[in-house]
Amino acid sequence: MLFNPKPKKRREELYDRGEELSTIEHSIEKGVPLIVLLGIRRLGKSSLLNVALSETPVKSVKIDARRVYSQLGSITQSALAELVLKGYLRAFPRERIREVLKGVRGIRIAGVGLELSVGKGINLSEVFERINSLGGRFIIAIDEAQYLRFSNARYPELIAWATDELENISFILTGSEVGLLEDFLRIHDPESALFGRAHVKIRLNRFERHQSLDFLRNGFEEIGLKVRGEELEEAVDELDGIVGWLTLYGYNRYLGLPHTGALRKLKEDAKKLILSEFSKLKKLSSRYELVIRAVANGRHRWRKIKEAVELLEDGRIDDKNFSNILNNLVRYGYLKKTVEGYFIPDPLVELAFK
Ligand SMILES: Nc1ncnc2c1ncn2[C@@H]1O[C@H](COP(=O)(O)OP(=O)(O)OP(=O)(O)O)[C@@H](O)[C@H]1O
Ligand SMILES: [Mg+2]
C-alpha cells in the first residue's frame, strides 16, 4: 500500500516517479557505468532504487552503506567485498561463485552451502575483476554512498577504474547528504579520478502540491478511508511535498488516529528522529545546532544568523569558521542556500529546531 512506511520495493507501491524510474532503466539498458541518485532525506531514494533494481533484468546487489557504517564504524574493503559476493551468490548460479573466487587472496569458501568468509587481505578490485571476467552484467548499488568516505580505501578511484575497465559492472550510488556525496566523488573536479567519466545524475525533487494531494487521495482510497478535502490541504501545508512525511501521516490515519492526532503524533515522532539524526553533527560542534536554530527562528541572511549565534555564545565568531559551519549544514542537506539566504528545506526539520 502507498502508506506502507517501509521503503517501497515494488512498482505498484510507488507513487509517480515514472520519469526518474525510466531514466534509471534506460541508463541501465544502455550500459551507463555510473548512475548517481541524489535528494534530501525522505524523498524516496531507497524506494526508487529498490524498484529500479527489481524491474531491471540486470542482476544486482544493494548495499546500505549507512548501515555498514553504523555496524562497523568504517567501511572496509572486506566488508564491502563480502556484501558484493553474497549478492553475487544470490543472483547467479552457485557454481559460478567458485570460479569467481578461485585463487582470490583473502577469501575462503566452505561447505555445500558455500559459506563465505572474507579476510582482511582481500582486494576489492580483484573481486570486481573476477566478477567482470565471468560475463553477465552486474549492478552494484550503494545506498547512502557518502558513507564510503569512512574508510582507508580510496573508493572513488576504485569506482573510476571499474567504470573504465569493467564493462559488465555498473554502479548506482545514492546520497541524501547531497553535497557530501558530490564532494566525495568529485565528478566535476578535473583533479579527481571520476572527472569526465560517463555518468547519469538524477536529482529527486519533492512532490508538487497537486502530486502530494493526489498521493494522499490515492492512499486513502486504497485503504478505504473517507477524508475531508481540508484535511488533505492542511496536511500538505504542514508537510510540503516530502513523501516520507506524507506517508507517515497516512499511516497514522490508517492506524486509526483522527486528522489532528495523526499530524501531532507525526510531528512528535519526527522531532525525536530529526534530533537523533542531528546528534552526530552536534558532536562535532555545538555551533551546528545554534546555527540551525537561528535559521528555524527566522534568520536567513549570513550576517543575521551570525549575529544571533554570537549573541547566544556571548562572543565573536571568526567569519571563516562561521562560513564553514553554514556550508557544512548545506552539504549535509540541513540547509539550502538561495539568493534570499539560507533556508531549511524540510518543514518538520524547521519545526524541530524552533
Ligand atoms: N514514490 C513513493 N510512493 C509512495 N511512497 C513512497 C515513495 N517514495 C518514498 N515513499 C515512502 O516514503 C518514505 C521514505 O522513503 P525512502 O526511505 O525510500 O526515502 P529515502 O530518500 O531513501 O529516505 P532516507 O534519506 O531517510 O534514506 C518511506 O515510508 C517510503 O515508503
Ligand atoms: Mg534511504
Side-chain angles (χ1 to χ4, degrees), residues 6 11 44 47 60 68-69 78 92-93 95 97 112 134 147 169 173 181 191 195 208 213 278 281 287 313 325 352:
K6 299 232 172 72
R11 182 74 186 98
S47 297
S60 62
V68 179
Y69 170 72
S78 54
F92 287 96
E95 306 77 61
I97 198 109
V112 263
L134 278 178
Y147 282 85
I169 296 185
L173 310 180
L181 182 60
E191 306 271 296
F195 177 74
E208 304 278 343
L213 289 168
F278 196 76
L281 262 187
R287 263 183 204 155
E313 283 196 355
I325 297 274

Side-chain angles (χ1 to χ4, degrees), residues 287 290-291 294-295 299-323 326 342:
R287 263 183 204 155
L290 299 181
V291 169
V295 179
R299 270 64 161 214
H300 299 290
R301 292 285 178 193
W302 190 94
R303 175 77 38 210
K304 292 277 171 218
I305 305 168
K306 186 161 181 275
E307 279 166 12
V309 175
E310 285 177 335
L311 200 67
L312 287 168
E313 283 196 355
D314 199 17
R316 264 192 57 74
I317 306 169
D318 171 63
D319 281 359
K320 209 165 148 206
N321 185 303
F322 181 72
S323 286
L326 265 180
Y342 293 88

